[in-house]
């Protein structure tokens, strides 16, 4: 029997509902339960795929090709449970489905309304595909009081009534701010937030109180009294040195114990050994490396959330701290002096991106890494720029470019119009909707025997997640390989280059996929482990 845990947020946004959900999932999992996590997003976009990184941050991609909220990355990194398309829904998708049903006549001529039609669609989504799960944790995006989230709150209110207290738990995350001029923590924002939630018919069973300072017992009693919950159900959520310490902190506060108490369930004590070891390695590493990340969305680091975490995981695997220097790629289009930002780097990484802005700067960063023999890791767009750089500077193809940037006589990177996904042929055209022109989700890749990547993976067949529109042009393969750039990973049918490397370089690898999406602190991705290891070796040379 599946129990449902609904996590809402109040007072302000960005308090960490996704992280709290992921940490609770990890704690329940450590007690031996099977968990699944879901996210309800209140915006009208069908998915975040066409949203600017500055608006939404990273787009997280699942194996089955769904473009989802970045919180699903937290869910996977903390629990290891692979997310699916059914684990993220938006208002846009809900309304699209409801309107499609109305057009087909599925409602038999009824007047289509928010209640019951929209709320029923939300409830159907929440309860789908979870029969084999002990706990379904469902995070509701936004902040209580926002008009956009009202249908979702009404839907989970109805679910709470239908399931009963023995199968439903409501957790509300709030802020207890420290007012410096008064010299005290204030509980009133939490009280008002709970009243706002009660106004839509939901009485929270537990409160997670975010604070930068210890919340005194008296303040917790006050919160419990005015919010109509047990004192033990007021859980303080203090700032932690690393997000991977959060499960340990929550356990110390009795979070998982109170959850099980609500459901009147017994279990063994959680095995938190791996979280203790992870936190120890992050807080007390044996060394340090500097990695320069040359991107185009560096003003909002949430755009590279999974990437930053995967680099941290590589540090955990090598027992070193990874210091990240986020460098705007356009900097390198201003002259040679700008390379000072790369001078102390033990490794250079160029991540994914879209559009021409900053592309030439990324190409120059590739040149620097190749010529200075600094470990280089190119991901998606970063691989494409590495191939263009090799075509220009190793093969002498001066006009080498990508058709993404406009018409070119040398389309070393171009828009592919069809490819195989398993046994099915997929097609696209340049005129398709932006959300439908991507190669999305997990695809197979065959690794060349004796290549560096085959050694890194200890395999000759891998499966990684993609999110891109343009591909390296296979017609340039022979010329590039003749100049020293090896195509060491290819799609099974041999048409799509997936990985390139320079065998004579200390560590130079470009991949078309996004390996950061599958990295976890307790299971670091092999490419990031190897890249950070190469950076450690580089640090000993300088």
């Amino acid at each position: 029997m599946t129990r449902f845990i609904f996590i809402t947020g109040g007072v302000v946004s960005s308090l960490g509902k996704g992280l709290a959900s992921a940490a609770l999932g990890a704690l329940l999992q450590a007690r031996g339960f099977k968990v699944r996590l879901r996210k309800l997003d209140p915006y009208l976009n069908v998915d975040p795929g066409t949203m600017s990184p500055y608006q939404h941050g990273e787009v997280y991609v699942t194996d089955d090709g769904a473009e989802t909220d970045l919180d699903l990355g937290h869910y996977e990194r903390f629990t290891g449970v692979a997310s699916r398309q059914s684990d993220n829904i938006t208002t846009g998708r809900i309304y699209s489905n409801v309107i499609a049903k109305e057009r087909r006549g599925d409602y038999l001529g009824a007047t289509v309304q928010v209640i019951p039609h929209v709320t029923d669609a939300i409830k159907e989504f929440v309860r789908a595909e979870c029969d084999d799960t002990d706990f379904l944790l469902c995070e509701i995006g936004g902040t209580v009081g926002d008009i956009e989230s009202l249908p979702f709150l009404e839907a989970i209110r109805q679910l709470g009534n239908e399931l009963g207290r023995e199968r439903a738990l409501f957790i509300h995350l709030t802020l207890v701010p420290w007012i410096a001029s008064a010299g005290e923590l204030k509980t009133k924002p939490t009280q008002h937030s709970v009243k706002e939630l009660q106004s839509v018919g939901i009485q929270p069973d537990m409160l997670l109180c975010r604070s930068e300072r210890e919340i005194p017992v008296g303040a917790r009693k006050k919160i419990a009294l005015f919010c109509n919950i047990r004192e033990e159900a007021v859980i303080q959520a203090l700032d932690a040195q690393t997000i991977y310490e959060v499960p340990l902190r929550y356990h110390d506060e009795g979070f998982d114990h109170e959850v099980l108490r609500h459901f009147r369930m017994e279990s063994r004590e959680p095995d938190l050994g791996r979280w203790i070891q992870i936190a120890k390695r992050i807080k007390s590493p044996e060394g340090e490396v500097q990695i320069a990340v040359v991107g185009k969305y560096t003003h909002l680091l949430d755009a590279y959330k999974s990437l930053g975490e995967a680099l941290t995981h590589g540090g955990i695997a090598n027992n070193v701290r990874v210091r990240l220097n986020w460098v705007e790629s356009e900097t390198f289009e201003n002259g040679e002096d700008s390379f000072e930002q790369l001078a102390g780097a033990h490794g250079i990484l160029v991540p994914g991106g879209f559009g021409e802005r900053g592309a030439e700067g990324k190409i120059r960063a590739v040149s620097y890494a190749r010529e200075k023999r600094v470990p280089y890791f190119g991901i998606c767009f970063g691989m494409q720029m590495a191939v263009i750089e090799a075509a220009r500077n190793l093969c002498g193809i001066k006009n080498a470019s990508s058709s993404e940037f406009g018409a070119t006589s040398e389309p070393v990177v171009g828009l592919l119009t069809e490819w195989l996904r398993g046994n099915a042929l997929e097609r696209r055209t340049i005129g398709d909707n932006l959300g439908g022109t991507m190669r999305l989700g997990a695809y197979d890749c065959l690794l060349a025997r004796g290549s560096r990547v085959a050694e890194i993976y200890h395999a000759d067949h891998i499966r990684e997640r993609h999110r891109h529109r343009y591909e390296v042009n296979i017609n340039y393969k022979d010329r590039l390989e003749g100049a020293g750039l090896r195509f060491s990973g290819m799609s099974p049918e041999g048409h799509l280059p997936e990985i390139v490397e320079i065998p004579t370089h200390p560590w130079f690898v470009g991949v078309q996929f996004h390996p950061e999406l599958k990295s976890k602190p307790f299971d670091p991705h092999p490419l990031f482990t190897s890249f950070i290891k190469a950076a450690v070796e580089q640090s000993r040379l300088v």
Side-chain angles (χ1 to χ4, degrees):
M1 180 174 67
T2 303
R3 277 89 174 173
F4 293 79
I5 300 173
F6 301 104
I7 300 98
T8 57
V11 184
V12 296
S13 61
S14 302
L15 288 179
K17 290 194 305 296
L19 189 56
S21 303
L24 177 57
L27 288 173
L28 293 172
Q29 194 179 59
R31 287 179 176 269
F33 295 108
K34 292 185 68 175
V35 301
R36 182 150 217 97
L37 292 98
R38 288 197 166 139
K39 177 73 181 287
L40 308 179
D41 273 312
Y43 51 75
L44 278 170
N45 302 67
V46 172
D47 59 45
T50 58
M51 295 170 70
S52 165
Y54 292 120
Q55 287 276 325
H56 186 270
E58 173 188 70
V59 174
Y60 192 79
V61 178
T62 60
D63 279 340
D64 57 1
E67 294 178 291
T68 69
D69 186 80
L70 61 81
D71 277 327
L72 272 71
H74 285 313
Y75 303 164
E76 283 203 28
R77 284 188 287 273
F78 276 73
T79 67
V81 178
S83 297
R84 302 182 292 228
Q85 187 171 37
S86 58
D87 292 326
N88 189 206
I89 196 73
T90 67
T91 299
R93 268 184 64 195
I94 290 292
Y95 275 88
S96 293
N97 292 343
V98 169
I99 291 170
K101 285 184 176 182
E102 184 271 329
R103 292 288 83 189
R104 290 197 304 266
D106 292 1
Y107 297 121
L108 304 177
T111 300
V112 179
Q113 298 175 294
V114 173
I115 302 172
H117 301 99
V118 170
T119 51
D120 282 352
I122 295 170
K123 290 190 291 182
E124 182 181 348
F125 162 77
V126 171
R127 302 183 74 162
E129 300 179 28
C130 61
D131 292 339
D132 61 342
T133 303
D134 296 314
F135 289 96
L136 191 288
L137 285 71
C138 188
E139 175 194 349
I140 291 79
T143 305
V144 169
D146 295 343
I147 192 170
E148 293 92 346
S149 61
L150 285 175
F152 290 109
L153 295 176
E154 170 60 20
I156 65 172
R157 181 197 69 79
Q158 293 178 21
L159 274 174
N161 287 336
E162 294 168 12
L163 294 166
R165 284 186 58 81
E166 68 276 8
R167 290 190 63 196
L169 167 67
F170 292 95
I171 298 173
H172 191 51
L173 178 65
T174 71
L175 176 67
V176 180
W178 169 262
I179 306 300
S181 60
E184 61 180 345
L185 292 165
K186 290 296 184 180
T187 65
K188 193 65 71 176
T190 291
Q191 296 175 46
H192 281 299
S193 184
V194 170
K195 285 182 179 179
E196 188 74 38
L197 192 59
Q198 290 170 334
S199 72
V200 296
I202 297 174
Q203 166 63 50
D205 301 296
M206 295 181 64
L207 290 178
L208 292 182
C209 298
R210 289 282 285 115
S211 177
E212 62 185 55
R213 301 192 178 212
E214 192 87 17
I215 303 175
V217 173
R220 294 196 215 183
K221 286 183 177 180
K222 185 178 180 181
I223 291 171
L225 177 65
F226 284 100
C227 295
N228 194 33
I229 64 172
R230 296 170 53 255
E231 183 183 335
E232 295 82 2
V234 178
I235 307 295
Q236 67 175 354
L238 303 179
D239 295 344
Q241 186 174 333
T242 166
I243 62 172
Y244 300 118
E245 194 178 13
V246 172
L248 302 174
R249 292 284 191 92
Y250 274 143
H251 176 67
D252 291 342
E253 294 294 331
F255 187 18
D256 49 326
H257 173 77
E258 283 299 315
V259 168
L260 295 180
R261 184 185 185 281
H262 171 89
F263 289 115
R264 299 180 181 179
M265 298 174 67
E266 299 287 340
S267 86
R268 61 176 170 81
E269 281 298 301
D271 179 6
L272 300 175
R274 72 181 180 186
W275 295 108
I276 293 171
Q277 183 64 23
I278 288 167
K280 179 181 177 181
R281 286 205 165 197
I282 291 176
K283 295 164 73 173
S284 303
E286 294 180 354
E288 179 176 299
V289 294
Q290 302 279 344
I291 302 297
V293 182
V294 183
K296 59 191 294 185
Y297 312 120
T298 56
H299 297 302
L300 180 69
L301 297 188
D302 268 359
Y304 301 114
K305 176 62 71 176
S306 291
L307 179 66
E309 295 306 319
L311 287 164
T312 297
H313 305 163
I316 292 171
N318 288 281
N319 203 12
V320 296
R321 178 177 288 111
V322 179
R323 297 282 189 189
L324 299 181
N325 178 24
W326 299 93
V327 182
E328 181 66 36
S329 59
E330 288 180 287
T331 301
F332 302 125
E333 298 172 5
N334 299 327
E336 290 294 335
D337 293 343
S338 59
F339 285 119
E340 292 178 1
Q341 295 187 65
L342 301 181
H346 304 128
I348 297 171
L349 189 150
V350 174
F354 294 93
E356 187 174 9
R357 182 181 67 82
E360 290 299 324
K362 291 186 176 185
I363 291 171
R364 296 196 67 194
V366 175
S367 294
Y368 180 94
R370 181 177 59 79
E371 294 170 358
K372 301 292 185 181
R373 298 182 63 78
V374 178
Y376 174 80
F377 195 0
I379 295 176
C380 194
F381 195 78
M383 169 191 167
Q384 295 174 2
M385 297 305 99
V387 173
I388 290 174
E389 193 277 335
R392 291 180 182 178
N393 299 322
L394 296 180
C395 297
I397 307 173
K398 299 304 180 184
N399 294 325
S401 188
S402 170
S403 60
E404 182 177 3
F405 308 151
T408 173
S409 60
E410 298 286 0
V412 173
V413 176
L415 181 71
L416 193 72
T417 56
E418 60 180 49
W419 67 89
L420 286 175
R421 185 183 184 96
N423 295 321
L425 182 66
E426 296 196 13
R427 291 187 174 90
R428 65 185 171 192
T429 70
I430 197 167
D432 288 339
N433 291 334
L434 289 179
T437 59
M438 298 257 216
R439 189 152 71 101
L440 288 166
Y443 285 84
D444 294 322
C445 171
L446 303 182
L447 306 183
R449 290 185 180 180
S451 63
R452 172 173 276 129
V453 288
E455 179 184 343
I456 291 170
Y457 276 98
H458 300 292
D460 56 12
H461 177 223
I462 60 173
R463 188 170 174 80
E464 294 279 5
R465 297 178 187 176
H466 294 65
R467 182 178 183 254
H468 56 97
R469 293 189 182 91
Y470 293 83
E471 310 275 354
V472 172
N473 191 336
I474 190 66
N475 294 325
Y476 289 86
K477 179 174 181 288
D478 291 342
R479 294 170 69 182
L480 287 162
E481 288 200 317
L485 186 71
R486 184 178 187 183
F487 284 61
S488 53
M490 297 291 294
S491 60
E493 74 282 359
H495 294 161
L496 303 178
E498 296 276 14
I499 307 176
V500 296
E501 61 182 60
I502 297 179
T504 58
H505 192 279
W507 205 97
F508 191 106
V509 175
V511 298
Q512 183 60 78
F513 45 83
H514 288 270
E516 70 271 22
L517 300 180
K518 297 183 76 170
S519 186
K520 303 166 187 68
F522 46 82
D523 184 21
H525 193 285
L527 285 173
F528 284 93
T529 298
S530 179
F531 176 58
I532 297 302
K533 181 181 179 182
V536 171
E537 294 171 356
Q538 180 75 11
S539 70
R540 294 169 182 158
L541 299 177
V542 296

